[in-house]
Amino acid sequence: MNSPIAEQAGHAPKVGFVSLGCPKALTDSELILTQLSAEGYQTSKTFQGADLVIVNTCGFIDDAVKESLDTIGEALAENGKVIVTGCLGARQSDNGSNLVSDIHPSVLAVTGPHATQEVMDAVHRHLPKLHDPFLDLVPPQGIKLTPKHYAYLKISEGCNHRCTFCIIPSMRGDLVSRPVGDVLAEAARLFEGGVKELLVVSQDTSAYGVDVQYRTGFWNGRPVKSKLLDLVRELGVLARAHGAWVRLHYVYPYPHVDDIIPLMAEGLCLPYLDVPFQHSHPDVLKRMKRPASGEKNLERLLRWRDMCPDVVIRSTFIAGFPGETEAEFEHLLTFLSEAQIDRAGCFAYSPVKGATANDIPGMLPAALREERRARFMAVAESISTAKLQKRVGATLQVLVDAAPGMGKKGGIGRSYADAPEIDGVVRLLPPQKISKTLKVGEFTKARVVGAEGHDLVALPV
Ligand code: SF4
């Protein structure tokens, strides 16, 4: 099949692209868009203006599945030529056939996540590229969907765990770590392209290299182990040379994470850890089959704070998991207070189709799950508010995300304590000094003058 529209018109074929889901899915989108651009395809902001549409889907929770299926339906209605990729593409219907193809039989092709080549094969079949060597130019750092000054760096794909509430391993498979040299080469390109904050993501960042027995790779002619500690140290050295930040997400509290904390104290990565604890009670963690469920998480976390008092911990939790007793839930509230989690999010448990947790007895009524979530968030917010208040008077390094008019009317930024999209921000006041300007993607120092909700208010200095 060819592309009559693009070829007859003699213009570069245009692809509409919708990226749904988490940062891991976003990095898949970036790889596909980079490849499309490298091959001379253009992108279209509208479905009607495209010759073909790619939808990168999410299949994690029921709301995400609905959003993905609705988007595919919309793209089919408005364009008609649709390729589906991503987590939902790997889901099966109850009868064992592909869920997306069952619901939307007219899609041209369906792939699972992390399938750049398969997606490109489908694009080539349904929308062949025009040959134009000038169109092959692509920025060395590839196509980024994030603003120019921060980027996600995916270090592995898949997961060896089988948490009972999660269907990601059934969609993305077991852990596959990227070669350490490739990861570092990508990081170097990103820094050279102007990235000032690198967000390290994967399903289980602490497990990096387990699948390849921490094999030694090469970077710049030097041996480097495929191990989180070695990788973060190398990333930190690269970041330092570019005056940039490295932030770690999805780190499970394994003993070897203790070794990362001194790197934070040395300034090689931000003193910020995103640790998805999900619960504190050992019995609930066992029912969840969580990684590191046997670890003494509270002791570990307090030790991290001793080693690096500035460390900010972000975490997510589930309230009302099947069988959760009031005593188990109160254990979680006590943990939250004792651990002083800086940034906590909480979901009321909701069943996910295909998850083994659905077979655990003791499903709680929806009202009770929601009530526990609200109680959790009340405690979490009082901890967060008290912690933010303590920052008033401090001077922080802030990365500017928005600064209309060179910041003359103020702007929005983030400190080391704020990951983009998920945490609060620093609201920057108009600078008092007439010569002071703010620029997106640059750092400024700012003195904190107040706290509002999850945000700080600060004066650029
Ligand atoms: S660690 Fe658990 S929740 Fe995270 S991706 Fe693996 S199975 Fe899912």
Side-chain angles (χ1 to χ4, degrees):
M1 209 181 293
N2 60 18
S3 159
I5 310 168
E7 282 178 3
Q8 279 165 23
H11 64 68
K14 279 193 174 176
V15 177
F17 202 103
V18 184
S19 184
L20 303 169
C22 64
K24 276 91 64 178
L26 191 73
T27 59
D28 284 355
S29 296
E30 290 173 344
L31 287 173
I32 296 167
L33 281 166
T34 298
Q35 192 54 37
L36 285 168
S37 179
E39 294 187 11
Y41 289 91
Q42 289 186 350
T43 50
S44 162
K45 286 195 166 55
T46 61
F47 290 151
Q48 294 97 332
D51 299 311
L52 174 153
V53 176
I54 299 173
V55 182
N56 188 3
T57 57
C58 175
F60 188 42
I61 55 170
D62 291 349
D63 281 353
V65 171
K66 182 173 178 322
E67 185 190 20
S68 294
L69 289 172
D70 288 352
T71 306
I72 297 166
E74 215 178 295
L76 282 170
E78 291 184 26
N79 182 286
K81 295 179 82 176
V82 179
I83 292 170
V84 175
T85 182
C87 282
L88 188 63
R91 287 267 299 263
Q92 292 187 336
S93 297
D94 293 338
N95 63 11
S97 55
N98 184 279
L99 180 80
V100 172
S101 306
D102 270 6
I103 296 175
H104 292 299
S106 55
V107 293
L108 300 175
V110 183
T111 84
H114 203 51
T116 307
Q117 196 49 53
E118 280 175 71
V119 172
M120 291 310 300
D121 290 347
V123 171
H124 295 152
R125 274 199 306 279
H126 299 285
L127 184 63
K129 59 182 172 175
L130 289 182
H131 177 67
D132 183 340
F134 293 107
L135 290 173
D136 287 357
L137 295 174
V138 70
Q141 71 275 21
I143 304 294
K144 309 308 296 175
L145 292 172
T146 46
K148 197 166 170 273
H149 61 285
Y150 69 80
Y152 294 98
L153 178 71
K154 184 155 65 172
I155 60 171
S156 61
E157 185 57 57
C159 180
N160 285 347
H161 301 291
R162 296 295 181 263
C163 300
T164 51
F165 56 80
C166 178
I167 52 169
I168 285 175
S170 67
M171 296 187 287
R172 294 192 164 234
D174 282 342
L175 177 80
V176 179
S177 299
R178 291 180 63 198
V180 70
D182 289 4
V183 174
L184 288 166
E186 185 180 346
R189 279 196 304 275
L190 289 168
F191 288 135
E192 278 151 23
V195 163
K196 291 291 173 200
E197 180 179 5
L198 198 63
L199 302 126
V200 175
V201 295
S202 70
Q203 251 77 47
D204 179 0
T205 296
S206 324
Y208 178 68
V210 166
D211 54 317
V212 291
Q213 289 86 44
Y214 306 120
R215 118 177 120 214
T216 300
F218 285 89
W219 161 241
N220 269 351
R222 281 185 299 109
V224 182
K225 274 195 157 192
S226 314
K227 203 167 187 186
L228 187 63
L229 176 66
D230 303 68
L231 175 64
V232 174
R233 187 183 291 114
E234 292 291 337
L235 287 174
V237 170
L238 270 173
R240 183 178 273 172
H242 290 86
W245 285 347
V246 174
R247 191 186 292 281
L248 302 181
H249 287 281
Y250 314 113
V251 177
Y252 288 104
Y254 295 116
H256 71 85
V257 176
D258 294 1
D259 300 336
I260 305 286
I261 310 298
L263 301 185
M264 296 180 177
E266 275 179 59
L268 285 172
C269 72
L270 290 178
Y272 175 104
L273 274 182
D274 175 2
V275 188
F277 285 113
Q278 308 300 7
H279 211 281
S280 64
H281 195 285
D283 294 345
V284 182
L285 290 171
K286 269 190 209 117
R287 290 202 291 280
M288 289 178 167
K289 289 208 182 144
R290 288 297 286 162
S293 63
E295 298 295 331
K296 297 194 165 101
N297 288 340
L298 184 59
E299 285 168 31
R300 163 142 294 117
L301 208 149
L302 297 178
R303 197 159 58 244
W304 292 346
R305 291 205 191 281
D306 272 352
M307 293 160 78
C308 180
D310 288 337
V311 72
V312 160
I313 307 289
R314 138 160 290 276
S315 190
T316 46
F317 295 87
I318 296 174
F321 191 72
E324 184 188 63
T325 63
E326 176 61 23
E328 286 168 345
F329 176 65
E330 280 173 16
H331 187 280
L332 174 59
L333 293 184
T334 307
F335 171 82
L336 182 61
S337 299
E338 291 181 352
Q340 289 283 295
I341 302 288
D342 302 74
R343 309 279 197 184
C346 185
F347 297 100
Y349 175 76
S350 85
V352 173
K353 204 161 183 244
T356 52
N358 299 342
D359 303 329
I360 297 175
M363 180 70 171
L364 303 182
L368 181 57
R369 286 180 262 148
E370 181 50 37
E371 182 209 302
R372 287 187 180 168
R373 188 202 65 81
R375 282 166 65 195
F376 178 101
M377 284 315 294
V379 177
E381 273 162 22
S382 70
I383 295 169
S384 164
T385 306
K387 290 208 154 209
L388 289 180
Q389 277 299 338
K390 280 195 194 143
R391 293 195 184 270
V392 175
T395 298
L396 299 173
Q397 179 87 331
V398 174
L399 181 56
V400 179
D401 283 333
M406 303 292 279
K408 287 298 165 201
K409 292 187 176 161
I412 301 286
R414 289 174 296 102
S415 75
Y416 80 92
D418 316 307
E421 312 282 338
I422 51 175
D423 292 328
V425 296
V426 179
R427 300 188 180 284
L428 294 165
L429 297 170
Q432 285 178 338
K433 254 198 277 169
I434 204 91
S435 58
K436 174 88 184 166
T437 54
L438 302 174
K439 283 195 201 127
V440 172
E442 289 190 3
F443 290 99
T444 181
K445 289 231 182 295
R447 196 175 65 253
V448 181
V449 296
E452 281 174 8
H454 296 285
D455 305 334
L456 292 175
V457 181
L459 184 66
V461 290

